[in-house]
């Protein structure tokens, strides 16, 4: 398997952290967005969206980071990270959708796009109105996350799942983007649990000020 990624972007981090957590045999290839690697015809043939990450497994090509999480976790069904029972699976799917629609596109990712990705992609200065909207949405959705984590070790209960990888991958970026993660005690407690996983720690990239959310 090969993963096409640009760490420390959260969409890259989540798939790298899961690969490391599961000990999967998988090469990583850097997609340098600042150099336009995502625009190369060979890359566009894999992902016509011209975005990373992408997974390639023996001719099977998969884009969308949360779909990649499902696929990687399916390689180790006994890990329980992608449950097979209908309610467990739907609960995880709920959080994968929430992460993509709200945590990424409307809050952390919106602020990251304006403050970091625009620079990486050469798209000009940030638009303050989008930063303000992203910060306001962060307060809204971080409160939901904090409340839902109350009384739970992990996002969907006692067991770690790929939902934790998807949502938790944004916390280092949120901190670097000065989003006030520290105001949410349940998020802080839960994230400490993720950071204690050896595979998670091994995936951290020390890159202060550089492409935290690209
Ligand atoms: N929903 C997608 C989002 C992927 C995405 O937005 N990737 C960004 C950077 S992390 C990208 O490749 N941007 C390049 C561009 O838009 O030109 C996923 O989760 O995989």
């Amino acid at each position: 398997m090969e993963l096409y990624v640009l760490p420390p972007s959260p969409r890259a981090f989540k798939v790298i952290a899961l690969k490391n957590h599961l000990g999967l045999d998988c090469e990583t290839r850097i997609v340098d967005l600042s150099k336009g690697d995502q625009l190369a015809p060979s890359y566009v043939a894999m992902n016509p969206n011209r975005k990373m990450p992408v997974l390639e497994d023996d001719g099977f090509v998969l884009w969308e980071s949360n779909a990649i999480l499902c696929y990687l976790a399916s390689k180790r069904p006994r890990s329980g990270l992608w449950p097979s029972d209908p309610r467990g699976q739907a609960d995880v799917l709920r959080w994968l959708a929430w992460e993509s629609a709200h945590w990424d596109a409307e809050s952390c990712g919106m602020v990251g796009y304006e403050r970091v990705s625009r620079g990486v992609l050469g798209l000009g200065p940030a638009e303050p109105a989008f930063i303000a909207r992203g910060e306001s949405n962060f307060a809204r959705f971080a409160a939901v996350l904090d409340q839902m984590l109350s009384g739970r070790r992990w996002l969907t209960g006692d067991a770690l799942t790929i939902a934790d990888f998807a949502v938790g991958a944004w916390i280092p970026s949120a901190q670097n983007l000065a989003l006030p993660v520290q105001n949410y005690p349940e998020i802080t407690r839960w994230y400490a649990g993720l950071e204690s996983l050896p595979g998670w720690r091994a995936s951290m990239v020390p890159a202060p000020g550089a492409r935290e959310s690209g």
Side-chain angles (χ1 to χ4, degrees):
M1 285 195 293
E2 291 185 332
L3 271 174
Y4 295 80
V5 286
L6 181 62
S9 161
R11 295 100 173 194
F13 180 83
K14 64 171 88 159
V15 296
I16 294 169
L18 182 63
K19 163 192 92 76
N20 288 336
H21 180 74
L22 293 173
L24 296 172
D25 187 13
C26 183
E27 297 289 325
T28 54
R29 307 258 181 259
I30 298 298
V31 185
D32 191 337
L33 300 175
S34 70
K35 293 188 177 149
D37 289 356
Q38 74 280 21
L39 308 177
S42 58
Y43 191 84
V44 176
M46 290 194 296
N47 187 355
N49 299 292
R50 305 187 298 271
K51 287 176 181 282
M52 72 90 219
V54 166
L55 173 78
E56 196 274 334
D57 183 17
D58 199 18
F60 175 62
V61 176
L62 188 61
W63 34 267
E64 282 299 325
S65 56
N66 288 343
I68 295 171
L69 291 182
C70 295
Y71 187 78
L72 293 178
S74 298
K75 298 268 180 190
R76 295 277 189 276
R78 286 201 292 189
S79 71
L81 288 167
W82 175 224
S84 55
D85 67 292
R87 291 186 183 186
Q89 196 172 79
D91 200 4
V92 170
L93 190 52
R94 172 225 311 261
W95 283 107
L96 298 183
W98 181 90
E99 184 269 344
S100 188
H102 306 311
W103 199 226
D104 179 342
E106 291 187 326
S107 42
C108 305
M110 180 179 275
V111 176
Y113 181 82
E114 294 299 324
R115 290 222 171 107
V116 180
S117 304
R118 275 180 172 280
V120 172
L121 297 168
L123 296 177
E127 295 200 30
F130 282 103
I131 294 178
R133 190 187 302 173
E135 288 173 342
S136 157
N137 284 337
F138 177 83
R140 172 179 173 177
F141 295 118
V144 172
L145 180 59
D146 204 58
Q147 182 192 337
M148 296 302 290
L149 282 166
S150 179
R152 293 178 191 184
R153 181 168 181 206
W154 301 110
L155 208 38
T156 63
D158 292 335
L160 179 71
T161 70
I162 54 174
D164 297 289
F165 283 79
V167 178
W170 285 95
I171 301 302
S173 282
Q175 289 164 336
N176 286 330
L177 292 164
L179 292 166
V181 178
Q182 71 282 0
N183 292 351
Y184 300 90
E186 294 298 331
I187 295 178
T188 304
R189 182 225 6 116
W190 160 75
Y191 185 69
L194 281 170
E195 265 192 331
S196 74
L197 301 173
W200 191 276
R201 282 203 307 278
S203 313
M204 300 291 288
V205 179
R211 294 192 301 223
E212 289 85 352
S213 192

